[in-house]
Amino acid sequence: MPKRTDIKSVLVIGSGPIVIGQACEFDYSGTQACRVLRAEGIRVILVNSNPATIMTDPDFADATYIEPITPEVIEAIIIKEKPDAILPTLGGQTALNAAMSLHELGILDKYNVELIGAKVDAIKKGEDRQIFKQLVLDAGADVARSYIAHTMDEVLAGAGQLGYPVVVRPSFTMGGLGSGFAYNEDDLRRIAGAGLQASPTSEVLLEESILGWKEYELELMRDTKDNCVVVCSIENVDPVGVHTGDSITVAPALTLTDREYQNLRDIGIQIIRDVGVDTGGCNIQFAVDPSNGRVIVIEMNPRVSRSSALASKATGFPIAKIAAKLAIGYTLDEIPNDITKVTPASFEPTLDYIVVKVPRFAFEKFPAADATLTTTMKSVGEAMAIGRNYSQALQKALRSLERRGSSFHWDELKLDKNELLEISKVPTDGRIVTLQQALRAGASIEEAFEATKIDPWFIDQIILINEVAEGIRAATKLTVDVLQEAKEHGFSDAQIAALRGMTEKQVRDVRYAANLRPVYKTVDTCAGEFPAETPYYYSTYEQESEVSPSNRKKIVILEVVQTVLAKVLSLTTLACMHRSRSQMRATKRL
């Protein structure tokens, strides 16, 4: 169906302040939405309390309000701007909760403003824990045994039925806010108390413990014609118990059989249909018991999420842009793929590479913070890398953190196997390196799995990296074959130099002399099946480059490294200038 003609203006709700668990990925999504809507000739009104964002730049909306994201403020904007519709699904949980408040207060009906992107019923079904649980069961899928509570007395009664440990999950929150694993009553009172306070509906879901299970996520989209696509499958390297935003993740999922993947896909599509998401995207999280293969559905977000931004970059499929088009009436088969220009958005992306995301933490800036990773998100950013195999992508991602000690190393061991395994039992930001050292010290796959519950396949990949490292160190000469194998598994020149007792420049000179240089492969959403008009690229070490030569003029942008203080001062100054400029040129005031 073509674009709706009854929508002339849209109010886009931003995500507000950048906080841990809800950060600049929603600025990315909201910016894409504003650009798409304006390109379609729709007047865009934007409200966001955070001026230091791209979306609040004067060029992205026809009217920008830098105001608190509250029902009262949004109602005042509605009175003044008279939008035909409100789009809340690209502004994170803040925007979604604001939209629900507008509905519950009768403001949407009062001013005849339509909610697009997700209907109220779909939001309730996806966000309300009890409703979603029943919906999953009706779809023939399984959920963890659970208990809904609204008071502390109900919480304690639920724990008595389920037994400890118990998972606490508040309704209508994101980033795992207020959630956690309670091992005793003291834990439960503390975590559930915070959860009841964090939930706008004072509701928490208590679940049986699924600690140590494998965790997966599917990014899906659906339109009004019931076209459904699975944009991307994502697998957490860490088991259940670590928030997906704090876990190393990999796309596509690597440890599922085809039968298991198709089962998750069928469940996901049935759920998105039953929830009623028909003009946008969502993500659904699953847990799989490694001992018997039992699958349960953890939760669903009926909106664009943090994972959606990751999936967009990983696949080249612009989820936020397409979600905005679906919201104004288009269907997936009518939207052309940005990269190929010939395949429609209903054409599911195919990956011929591996993507690894590694979270970045800043515990040094929060001395009182608990560095143990739990179901509450604590990362402040992430690095994503693409490679031809998992070991290559993993090593590239770890180095991309640009933090001392974040990469694998092969220095002299300072602790024995048992000490390293004991440390790795507790999820922390450095556990992957601790595990690598434990495997170097002689830990078996079985011992490593028992300590961490990380899937044996991922553990075996670290063993492979260690074996390649020892091969580099033991080689009588740094030959082309040795270098080629090292590069295929993601080793940097600096890592090779450390293993060989050489300088980084010496390794690079040997590599150049052997004409061993990176080539560039495409991210084109279709694994090369169709010609790519506007792909982007990742580096790897193979024989053939997929970059087409161009005679166009080119610009190289060099980033100057600054001190932390200089960065802070610069960002502060830019934020002030940005706000001032926005206020003077485009920001509307109530």
Side-chain angles (χ1 to χ4, degrees):
M1 58 186 291
K3 181 186 74 173
R4 291 175 55 176
T5 58
D6 58 331
I7 298 179
K8 306 295 184 183
S9 61
V10 172
L11 172 61
V12 176
I13 305 178
S15 60
I18 293 176
V19 297
I20 294 174
Q22 179 166 290
C24 54
E25 61 269 16
F26 295 110
D27 185 26
Y28 160 79
S29 300
T31 300
Q32 290 289 315
C34 291
R35 292 178 65 180
V36 167
L37 295 174
R38 292 192 75 187
E40 292 290 337
I42 293 174
R43 186 169 189 272
V44 175
I45 305 109
L46 171 69
V47 57
N48 195 351
S49 61
N50 183 2
T53 57
I54 296 173
M55 70 168 66
T56 50
D57 187 278
D59 294 333
F60 286 99
D62 296 285
T64 302
Y65 290 85
I66 300 178
E67 299 285 351
I69 302 175
T70 63
E72 296 78 16
V73 169
I74 297 175
E75 181 181 15
I77 296 172
I78 291 173
I79 293 171
K80 185 175 181 180
E81 297 288 347
K82 298 179 175 58
D84 297 312
I86 293 178
L87 180 60
T89 52
L90 301 173
Q93 198 68 42
T94 297
L96 210 61
N97 288 349
M100 292 301 293
S101 296
L102 293 173
H103 166 73
E104 291 162 1
L105 293 171
I107 294 172
L108 298 179
D109 290 337
K110 180 179 179 180
Y111 299 101
N112 194 28
V113 181
E114 182 182 355
L115 210 60
I116 59 175
K119 304 301 182 186
V120 170
D121 286 345
I123 297 173
K124 286 183 177 179
K125 288 177 181 177
E127 295 283 338
D128 186 288
R129 300 291 183 178
Q130 184 60 42
I131 295 175
F132 183 67
K133 172 188 173 182
Q134 190 57 50
L135 183 147
V136 171
L137 293 173
D138 291 343
D142 198 7
V143 295
R145 292 187 303 113
S146 61
Y147 186 95
I148 293 289
H150 296 88
T151 66
M152 187 56 67
D153 288 341
E154 292 179 0
V155 166
L156 296 173
Q161 290 186 21
L162 297 173
Y164 292 101
V166 65
V167 188
V168 181
R169 299 185 188 276
S171 296
F172 292 93
T173 66
M174 76 167 296
L177 181 64
S179 67
F181 280 84
Y183 294 89
N184 51 52
E185 184 175 326
D186 289 341
D187 287 347
L188 185 63
R189 287 182 178 275
R190 173 176 53 82
I191 297 171
L196 290 169
Q197 186 175 14
S199 171
T201 56
S202 297
E203 178 182 274
V204 297
L205 176 73
L206 304 182
E207 289 181 342
E208 64 173 308
S209 174
I210 51 174
L211 274 173
W213 289 29
K214 297 162 67 174
E215 187 169 354
Y216 301 90
E217 187 170 341
L218 293 184
E219 295 290 332
L220 301 101
M221 301 199 81
R222 179 172 178 258
D223 63 23
T224 52
K225 284 185 179 178
D226 197 30
N227 292 311
C228 294
V229 294
V230 176
V231 178
C232 187
S233 63
I234 301 173
E235 179 172 359
N236 287 14
V237 173
D238 289 294
V240 172
V242 175
H243 189 279
T244 184
D246 289 349
S247 173
I248 295 174
T249 58
V250 57
L254 296 178
T255 68
L256 287 171
T257 65
D258 182 64
R259 184 185 295 272
E260 289 172 326
Y261 170 71
Q262 295 302 331
N263 182 38
L264 296 191
R265 189 178 185 279
D266 290 344
I267 293 172
I269 290 174
Q270 188 61 50
I271 288 174
I272 194 174
R273 284 172 171 159
D274 290 348
V275 167
V277 176
D278 59 4
T279 55
C282 75
N283 67 75
I284 303 175
Q285 294 172 1
F286 302 86
V288 178
D289 189 341
S291 65
N292 57 25
R294 177 190 172 199
V295 177
I296 68 168
V297 179
I298 299 175
E299 65 178 0
M300 170 192 186
N301 290 309
R303 55 174 169 77
V304 171
S305 67
R306 175 198 52 77
S307 297
S308 303
L310 173 66
S312 296
K313 295 300 182 185
T315 63
F317 189 100
I319 293 176
K321 179 177 179 178
I322 292 174
K325 282 182 172 287
L326 294 179
I328 56 174
Y330 288 108
T331 53
L332 288 166
D333 56 303
E334 296 173 332
I335 303 170
N337 183 298
D338 275 3
I339 291 179
T340 65
K341 306 298 184 185
V342 294
T343 58
S346 54
F347 190 94
E348 289 192 352
T350 302
L351 280 62
D352 57 355
Y353 49 83
I354 303 297
V355 179
V356 172
K357 175 222 78 180
V358 178
R360 181 183 177 90
F361 299 87
F363 290 120
E364 70 279 0
K365 297 179 182 178
F366 305 96
D370 181 4
T372 302
L373 304 184
T374 65
T375 56
T376 299
M377 186 170 165
K378 298 178 180 178
S379 68
V380 297
E382 55 193 32
M384 188 192 88
I386 305 177
R388 295 296 274 182
N389 54 49
Y390 174 73
S391 56
Q392 184 181 105
L394 175 63
Q395 292 227 72
K396 287 172 69 175
L398 290 173
R399 286 197 303 275
S400 297
L401 293 176
E402 296 182 332
R403 299 189 64 181
R404 187 182 298 276
S406 63
S407 301
F408 291 153
H409 59 85
W410 292 269
D411 303 331
E412 183 179 352
L413 290 168
K414 297 179 180 178
L415 299 173
D416 63 28
K417 178 189 74 173
N418 293 331
E419 291 173 315
L420 290 165
L421 285 174
E422 189 64 30
I423 295 171
S424 67
K425 288 180 179 179
V426 179
T428 62
D429 58 336
R431 177 158 76 166
I432 190 74
V433 176
T434 302
L435 180 59
Q436 180 244 343
Q437 298 300 307
L439 294 168
R440 278 187 65 209
S444 66
I445 292 178
E446 293 76 16
E447 290 172 325
F449 173 74
E450 185 62 31
T452 64
K453 299 303 179 184
I454 292 175
D455 189 273
W457 189 87
F458 293 116
I459 296 172
D460 187 59
Q461 289 292 297
I462 299 176
I463 292 176
L464 172 60
I465 292 172
N466 283 337
E467 289 174 348
V468 173
E470 291 307 315
I472 296 169
R473 175 178 282 161
T476 56
K477 185 179 179 181
L478 191 59
T479 63
V480 176
D481 290 341
V482 172
L483 276 172
Q484 181 69 46
E485 183 180 35
K487 289 301 180 180
E488 286 175 356
H489 292 285
F491 284 80
S492 67
D493 289 347
Q495 286 175 310
I496 297 170
L499 287 164
R500 296 290 301 177
M502 303 166 66
T503 66
E504 185 176 356
K505 183 179 183 304
Q506 287 174 325
V507 172
R508 188 172 295 110
D509 289 343
V510 173
R511 182 165 59 80
Y512 284 176
N515 197 30
L516 186 59
R517 296 171 183 267
V519 298
Y520 293 86
K521 299 292 186 180
T522 60
V523 174
D524 57 13
T525 75
C526 63
E529 186 174 352
F530 296 92
E533 297 291 331
T534 57
Y536 55 93
Y537 302 92
Y538 64 95
S539 66
T540 187
Y541 282 83
E542 292 188 357
Q543 298 301 312
E544 182 182 2
S545 179
E546 296 177 356
V547 178
S548 300
S550 169
N551 294 322
R552 296 174 60 187
K553 291 184 178 181
K554 304 170 182 66
I555 296 175
V556 174
I557 300 175
L558 298 177
E559 181 182 356
V560 180
V561 178
Q562 299 174 306
T563 64
V564 173
L565 179 60
K567 283 185 177 180
V568 171
L569 291 174
S570 297
L571 288 172
T572 303
T573 303
L574 285 171
C576 293
M577 290 172 62
H578 189 102
R579 176 163 186 153
S580 176
R581 182 182 62 185
S582 299
Q583 288 175 331
M584 289 188 295
R585 292 177 54 191
T587 303
K588 304 289 186 179
R589 307 301 294 181
L590 294 176

